[in-house]
Amino acid sequence: MTPRTGARGQALVLSLLLLVAGAAALLQLYSGGQLVHEKSRLTHAADAAAYSGALVQARALNFQAYANRAHIAHQVAMAHLVTLASWAQFGDAQAGQAAAANPPKSVVAMMFGADHGAAYASALAAAGLGAAARNQGSLGRAFAEHDRIVNEVLWRAQQAVAQNLHQSRQLAMQAVLQANYAGGTPVDGGAVQLDPLALADNLPGYITLHQGQARSRLRELVLQASERYRYLDERDHTARNPWAVSSRCPQLRHELRRRGSTALEGYDTWRSADTQSYHALRSNKWIGCYYREYPMGWGLVAAGAPAQSSLEHVESPPADFSAQDFWRWVAEHTNWNIFSGTQNPLANSRAVAQGVAWRGRGMPGYVDIGQSGAPLRFAIRVTRPQASLATLGHASRVRVGRGLFNPVVSLPGAAMAATSAAETFFERPVARDDGRTELASLFSPYWQARLRQVSEPERDQALARQGVL
């Protein structure tokens, strides 16, 4: 049989066609793979940026919580300083009275017991302590430093962090994007960009600065914290002698009244007052039984306002009553109750007259969130120019051959884009001992960050920016 020589070379042609088609497919696969790889890389970078932005928010909110707690701690410390200063004045005054035997230590011990007598005598060691309570004294300087820290350091830092949080978040996210692409330079200088306008963001209005009369919650928390310290409790004690003094009033006794209190007046004034008086029971035919007050010690310090007080007192009390009976002076110049009273009005008067006023700017403002307590959430869109991708054609278009072999691989729009969402949320690391749920606030540093799913409206908005919708 004769061979068919006309069919020679046909297999070669088919092989060449298959080789060209295979090469085109490989080139197409390479460029398509590059696009998928770069889109995945951009998506991971967007997630890293979003999480970093939420982490910046969490750190900012936790800073505000620590700063708010520091405000409370400083206020409690200032209350202690004011209390210590009024006691220093009190001890100094009592040292003077004990040294002058007005009243005598023996009388106090005889009437109210050896312990009271010994305590009165020990006041001699407090002579001169009143100097520490002055503005330039050690206690006054310590208070001024606390005042400076809360007003010039903490409060200013809180305002700056709150006002710059959006910018700080944007800078952090852009830095993360740049770090993710630091290993390679786009072929034509294209850069990964974060859309300046977020797809969603509830940061505006989320944080509130509370000043003036809006500081009520901070004041309440300061007072609650103060209740933990017995040193700041009311210092009231009354001792009575055991035997009858006058047949006209056999139920009454001589009294030793110790009075003291520390209070936050309004929002800006810490006041502490300490007094002690011996109230000797007297009687006469004109007014019957009454109490003759002998001041033994007094002290008053007000920080942030003049050393005025709501204590029962009069201005410029007499140094002594050698020229006039005590009860007559009281009847003519005061409305004091010297028959069954419970206060030390004469000692109060001396405390106010010699009171010390420390300069202070009062309680600063504080920062908190709104009432909803919802997480602080945002969604972002990140873009990269398609022209910068490492494919075989311009603007990510891959062309192989001419005519029929002209496939194109590209993404819609001029840039590749990815979206991501994250939030900063409030959650305790461990449950409360009382089993209650703690509401979100900027007084507990339990703010954390996490990624969230992008919502459908946010995706639609991103596609519209891409030019697809």
Side-chain angles (χ1 to χ4, degrees), residues 129 201 445:
L129 286 182
D201 187 10

Side-chain angles (χ1 to χ4, degrees), residues 153-459:
V153 179
L154 287 176
W155 176 228
R156 289 186 181 180
Q158 284 187 283
Q159 295 177 82
V161 169
Q163 293 166 0
N164 297 320
L165 180 53
H166 180 271
Q167 180 182 6
S168 300
R169 186 185 71 185
Q170 295 295 104
L171 291 174
M173 290 192 292
Q174 190 64 52
V176 169
L177 291 175
Q178 293 174 358
N180 272 268
Y181 284 86
T185 303
V187 295
D188 60 350
V192 178
Q193 293 293 333
L194 173 68
D195 278 10
L197 183 62
L199 300 175
D201 187 10
N202 64 342
L203 176 58
Y206 192 85
I207 298 176
T208 305
L209 303 180
H210 296 269
Q211 304 179 70
Q213 297 299 315
R215 296 171 292 169
S216 58
R217 189 181 183 198
L218 179 60
R219 183 181 188 277
E220 177 184 351
L221 292 173
V222 168
L223 294 178
Q224 289 180 8
S226 301
E227 292 174 357
R228 296 176 177 268
Y229 299 91
R230 294 190 61 187
Y231 188 71
L232 303 179
D233 289 346
E234 290 189 351
R235 302 172 288 278
D236 291 352
H237 172 72
T238 301
R240 295 179 177 85
N241 73 300
W243 60 87
V245 176
S246 173
S247 58
R248 294 182 178 180
C249 44
Q251 78 283 6
L252 298 180
R253 302 289 188 271
H254 296 305
E255 293 185 358
L256 185 66
R257 301 176 190 169
R258 173 70 167 92
R259 300 292 181 263
S261 64
T262 301
L264 177 59
E265 297 178 343
Y267 295 95
D268 301 320
T269 304
W270 278 107
R271 179 192 55 78
S272 178
D274 285 281
T275 62
Q276 180 167 292
S277 291
Y278 165 43
H279 293 263
L281 187 63
R282 300 282 188 266
S283 66
N284 60 42
K285 60 181 180 181
W286 293 281
I287 63 171
C289 293
Y290 69 96
Y291 285 106
R292 163 63 161 95
E293 180 181 357
Y294 293 89
M296 298 171 61
W298 53 87
L300 173 64
V301 175
Q308 298 299 319
S309 174
S310 58
L311 295 173
E312 188 177 27
H313 71 283
V314 295
E315 302 294 335
S316 303
D320 58 61
F321 293 91
S322 58
Q324 186 179 19
D325 291 332
F326 174 80
W327 67 269
R328 290 185 185 276
W329 177 84
V330 169
E332 294 174 2
H333 298 90
T334 77
N335 58 356
W336 298 347
N337 179 1
I338 59 174
F339 306 103
S340 59
T342 60
Q343 300 302 313
N344 298 327
L346 185 55
N348 291 343
S349 301
R350 294 185 179 179
V352 172
Q354 300 173 23
V356 172
W358 284 348
R359 292 183 295 272
R361 283 160 284 190
M363 186 182 298
Y366 73 100
V367 178
D368 206 353
I369 64 173
Q371 297 298 319
S372 67
L376 182 52
R377 184 184 182 281
F378 64 92
I380 61 172
R381 176 176 176 267
V382 177
T383 60
R384 180 181 180 185
Q386 290 192 53
S388 67
L389 301 182
T391 56
L392 299 181
H394 180 67
S396 301
R397 289 173 171 80
V398 180
R399 299 181 183 275
V400 180
R402 297 177 180 276
L404 295 176
F405 301 102
N406 191 19
V408 177
V409 178
S410 65
L411 295 174
M416 177 183 289
T419 59
S420 185
E423 69 180 15
T424 302
F425 65 101
F426 183 88
E427 183 176 299
R428 288 182 61 93
V430 295
R432 290 171 57 112
D433 294 336
D434 57 12
R436 296 182 179 180
T437 300
E438 186 166 347
L439 298 178
S441 74
L442 293 186
F443 285 92
S444 295
Y446 304 140
W447 293 91
Q448 305 176 51
R450 63 189 173 193
L451 290 174
R452 303 299 289 175
Q453 186 175 1
V454 178
S455 68
E456 287 299 324
E458 292 162 357
R459 292 186 186 277

